[in-house]
Amino acid sequence: MMGSAVGSVMGCLFLMLSMVNVIQIRLGMLSCGSRQTVQSVAALIVLVNSALAVYISTAVYAFLH
């Protein structure tokens, strides 16, 4: 069960990285400092990390109780 949870988290992280690449293709490279790209990637990172925090805390609670 723990392996499944870790795999799920890793899958979410890799999906987020691929979505960052799509944003860069559509809006411009992050290294160029495009304002829209930076804002889009920041919003994506905040949303994914908050969702992962809820998922990880729920999974840890389920494993411990």
Side-chain angles (χ1 to χ4, degrees):
M1 291 297 286
M2 185 62 101
S4 176
V6 169
S8 179
V9 169
M10 293 302 293
C12 287
L13 290 175
F14 284 124
L15 180 61
M16 180 186 67
L17 290 175
S18 69
M19 291 171 72
V20 167
N21 285 335
V22 170
I23 290 171
Q24 289 187 85
I25 290 170
R26 302 288 292 182
L27 298 177
M29 298 296 292
L30 275 171
S31 60
C32 292
S34 171
R35 186 170 178 247
Q36 293 172 334
T37 305
V38 172
Q39 288 176 344
S40 298
V41 169
L44 177 69
I45 289 173
V46 166
L47 290 173
V48 170
N49 285 337
S50 62
L52 281 177
V54 170
Y55 175 72
I56 291 169
S57 63
T58 303
V60 168
Y61 178 79
F63 285 129
L64 296 179
H65 289 89

